[in-house]
């Protein structure tokens, strides 16, 4: 058998197989490890900036949408809340009972138009009612008598109250009255957090205790003792808690600034008559006004006070407490 194999090998010698050709490897030029992208992809600095900003926007968007679309693992970890369990909310549906009544006699351009009778919530907002009652009755040394309504809006009318300076301030000082609004703001916070929903509904009477739209103080350089110092200049003035508003319709825009102290019991037709008086049109869309408001120009504050001011003179000719 071995002889046959040797004979076959002699008759048919094995042919040498050529080796398979190796694939040609193209040499890749050496690239600096610090900036591989700049040499492989020729991008301008502007294109790189756009790509970076786009990546940042995608990252922020994914983080913002993550609470809305949680991952599967997060959904498994989050316990399912029972839909049958309801969170109790404070009961604010009870009608407030007025404890005392006040009246305002109104005249438009010298012509009497009627009387407004207001019921005051002495038990619910004692500090606000005390402030309003002391001015209506004149016991504070100052009064709403012969004072004007300064703003007429589609949803409410606003009375100008008394001034924190000049004759009004001197009269209040003689009787020991304090026009500070700290206690009124504390009472506003308590009422605001107590119940959700609109507080200044149609027919409600409120006093303005804060200004949420007041711009921050303006920084300025002041020379003192030969040195330049940075000082703050207040823009506008804080309300003194004597201005009041009467809502013609539900006015949620007043909830951030006004404390409800009562409601109109009689004379709502007189309030509507005040609401029909023609006023100065707003000009907040003017680019000059917007720029002045943005930089804190005092002229913008003065101009804004004139918006929605009645052309006619709407005055409280007499006022007081009824019981």
């Amino acid at each position: 058998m071995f002889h046959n194999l040797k004979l076959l090998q002699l008759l048919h010698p094995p042919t040498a197989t050529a080796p398979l050709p190796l694939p040609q490897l193209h040499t890749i030029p050496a690239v600096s490890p610090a900036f591989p992208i700049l040499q492989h992809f020729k991008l301008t600095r502007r294109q790189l900036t756009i790509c970076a900003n786009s990546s940042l926007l995608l990252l922020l968007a994914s983080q913002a949408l993550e609470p809305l679309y949680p991952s599967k693992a997060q959904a498994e970890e989050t316990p399912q809340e029972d839909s049958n369990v309801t969170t109790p909310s404070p009961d604010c549906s009870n009608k407030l009972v007025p404890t005392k009544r006040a009246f305002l006699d109104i005249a438009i351009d010298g012509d009497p138009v009627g009387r407004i009778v207001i019921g005051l919530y002495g038990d619910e907002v004692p500090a606000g009612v005390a402030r309003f009652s002391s001015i209506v009755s004149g016991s504070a040394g100052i009064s709403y008598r012969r004072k004007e309504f300064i703003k007429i809006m589609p949803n409410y009318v606003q009375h100008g109250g008394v001034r924190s300076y000049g004759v009004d301030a001197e009269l209040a000082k003689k009787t020991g009255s304090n026009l500070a609004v700290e206690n009124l703001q504390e009472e506003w916070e308590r009422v605001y957090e107590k119940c959700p929903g609109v507080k200044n509904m149609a027919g409600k009477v409120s006093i303005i205790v804060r200004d949420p739209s007041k711009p921050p103080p303006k920084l300025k350089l002041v020379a003192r003792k030969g040195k330049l110092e940075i000082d703050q200049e207040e823009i506008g003035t804080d309300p003194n808690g004597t201005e009041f508003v009467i809502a013609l319709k539900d006015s949620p825009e007043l909830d951030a600034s006004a404390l409800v102290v009562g409601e109109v019991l009689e004379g709502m037709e007189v309030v509507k008559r005040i609401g029909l008086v023609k006023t100065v049109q707003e000009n907040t869309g003017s680019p000059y006004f917007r720029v002045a408001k943005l930089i804190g120009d005092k002229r913008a504050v003065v101009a804004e006070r004139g918006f929605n001011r009645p052309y006619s003179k709407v005055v409280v000719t007499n006022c007081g407490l009824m019981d």
Side-chain angles (χ1 to χ4, degrees), residues 68-292:
L68 300 178
Y69 302 96
S71 61
K72 185 177 180 181
Q74 291 176 345
E76 292 177 356
E77 293 178 0
T78 304
Q80 297 292 334
E81 296 182 358
D82 189 1
S83 59
N84 296 328
V85 178
T86 57
T87 304
S89 58
D91 185 13
C92 303
S93 59
N94 294 332
K95 184 176 176 60
L96 300 177
V97 179
T99 57
K100 62 176 66 175
R101 294 187 302 163
F103 72 91
L104 303 171
D105 291 334
I106 308 297
I108 300 177
D109 285 337
D111 298 329
V113 294
R115 170 174 288 191
I116 303 172
V117 178
I118 301 172
L120 302 174
Y121 307 139
D123 294 337
E124 183 68 18
V125 281
V129 169
R131 171 66 62 87
F132 188 82
S133 300
S134 63
I135 301 176
V136 165
S137 63
S139 61
I142 48 180
S143 174
Y144 291 127
R145 191 178 294 110
R146 293 188 295 276
K147 300 294 190 301
E148 301 180 33
F149 282 83
I150 61 172
K151 183 180 290 187
I152 298 177
M153 301 293 289
N155 292 343
Y156 62 89
V157 296
Q158 178 179 340
H159 190 273
V162 298
R163 294 174 295 182
S164 313
Y165 57 90
V167 178
D168 290 338
E170 291 295 329
L171 292 174
K173 187 176 180 180
K174 288 181 179 180
T175 58
S177 300
N178 185 9
L179 296 180
V181 294
E182 286 77 10
N183 59 336
L184 299 178
Q185 291 178 351
E186 293 175 359
E187 195 166 70
W188 171 87
E189 291 177 358
R190 176 180 60 81
V191 174
Y192 189 85
E193 296 174 358
K194 180 180 179 181
C195 300
V198 180
K199 286 79 175 174
N200 287 272
M201 295 182 291
K204 296 293 183 179
V205 180
S206 310
I207 56 176
I208 298 177
V209 298
R210 60 192 300 269
D211 183 9
S213 63
K214 181 184 176 183
K218 182 180 178 181
L219 299 179
K220 63 177 182 179
L221 287 176
V222 180
R224 291 175 180 168
K225 297 181 180 179
K227 296 181 180 179
L228 290 177
E229 298 180 0
I230 298 178
D231 195 6
Q232 292 184 348
E233 180 183 6
E234 292 289 336
I235 301 174
T237 56
D238 292 320
N240 59 9
T242 64
E243 301 178 37
F244 68 89
V245 293
I246 305 177
L248 291 164
K249 305 175 184 177
D250 290 354
S251 307
E253 66 272 19
L254 293 175
D255 291 344
S257 59
L259 172 66
V260 177
V261 296
E263 64 181 68
V264 176
L265 301 178
E266 301 175 16
M268 195 62 194
E269 67 280 358
V270 179
V271 181
K272 294 178 180 179
R273 176 68 181 84
I274 299 173
L276 296 177
V277 175
K278 291 184 178 181
T279 60
V280 178
Q281 297 298 318
E282 290 188 7
N283 195 23
T284 55
S286 170
Y288 301 103
F289 175 81
R290 281 193 249 176
V291 172

